[in-house]
Amino acid sequence: MISTFAKRVILLLVGPLNFLFVAFVPAVCGARPGFRGWFWRTVSQSCSNLLWLLSIRVEISDAARAALAEDENSVIAVNHRSHLDGFSLLHVIPDRKWVTFGAKKELCQAALLRRGFTGAGLLEIDRSKGKHALESLTDAVRDMPRRRSPILFVEGTRAKCEGLGPFKAGGVLVAGATERTIRPIVIIGSDKLLPRGRFLPRTGTIRIEVLDPFTVDPSANVDDEVARLRMTMSAVYDAATREQTAPTG
């Protein structure tokens, strides 16, 4: 059994090298056929290694894993509370399921990362362009194979409140325009391990719940659909949070 201290030492030694490899290999190999499938599997394994070195467990049911493996033609909507969220999610995504993330324009155009992000297939989001940014995102999702899904943090940024924060409409609008369903995923406990302002996470467990597909009603008001999606995800998050904080014994 490797101690937590030994894991942290290994992380300090190999972590930067692993990051550089993942960040820059798309710039070299991104144009090769089949690269993106291989790349995201490699990223997933790197996330698993990182969480192990941090002594962080991720709980997800077998049924939830099976649902993700079979998931197609969806937009994945995830709540966001911690920098651990993306690592935890990629750790549990099955190899059969292809995903990509949306990234801020500032990151996609950074000199050192631009070619890598393009090779990895990340979706560039220019928040300053409003409607035009949404149209660009919609076009990119429409051109994706059914097997690949974009992962969108529906709150837009890490929530600061106790429950889920206000949802952006982008996920609902993109799903409706591309005739994809929304696959809601709720992450619980990540902010307890790595809250704002903390550099190194605590050891512990993160829980991930995969909800049933959410179908956007094209005849309904967008704000109402966003509220319905938030209510669906909040019910799961609030129940899990109460369960975690309930006294035992």
Side-chain angles (χ1 to χ4, degrees), residues 196-215:
R196 287 175 178 268
R198 186 180 176 91
F199 178 68
L200 284 176
R202 304 180 178 94
T203 62
T205 300
I206 295 170
R207 181 171 159 189
I208 292 182
E209 298 286 351
V210 178
L211 281 58
D212 292 335
F214 177 99
T215 302

Side-chain angles (χ1 to χ4, degrees), residues 115-127:
R115 287 187 63 191
F117 277 16
T118 300
L122 267 70
L123 305 175
E124 181 178 321
I125 300 175
D126 186 351
R127 294 176 178 175

Side-chain angles (χ1 to χ4, degrees), residues 210-224:
V210 178
L211 281 58
D212 292 335
F214 177 99
T215 302
V216 176
D217 183 351
S219 65
N221 178 274
V222 172
D223 290 339
D224 291 342

Side-chain angles (χ1 to χ4, degrees), residues 137-220:
L137 178 60
T138 300
D139 289 341
V141 173
R142 187 178 286 115
D143 292 339
M144 285 183 184
R146 292 174 58 89
R147 182 177 176 182
R148 176 173 283 119
S149 295
I151 296 174
L152 302 179
F153 290 113
V154 284
E155 295 149 304
T157 187
R158 286 176 294 162
K160 299 178 181 179
C161 51
E162 287 298 318
L164 301 190
F167 279 20
K168 305 293 185 182
V172 168
L173 291 170
V174 169
T178 59
E179 298 184 345
R180 288 185 171 227
T181 59
I182 294 177
R183 173 67 73 170
I185 295 181
V186 179
I187 301 178
I188 304 110
S190 59
D191 55 331
K192 305 301 181 185
L193 305 186
L194 187 62
R196 287 175 178 268
R198 186 180 176 91
F199 178 68
L200 284 176
R202 304 180 178 94
T203 62
T205 300
I206 295 170
R207 181 171 159 189
I208 292 182
E209 298 286 351
V210 178
L211 281 58
D212 292 335
F214 177 99
T215 302
V216 176
D217 183 351
S219 65

Side-chain angles (χ1 to χ4, degrees), residues 60-70 94 183 210-212:
I60 183 172
S61 69
D62 291 340
R65 285 184 185 273
L68 284 177
E70 298 298 328
R183 173 67 73 170
V210 178
L211 281 58
D212 292 335

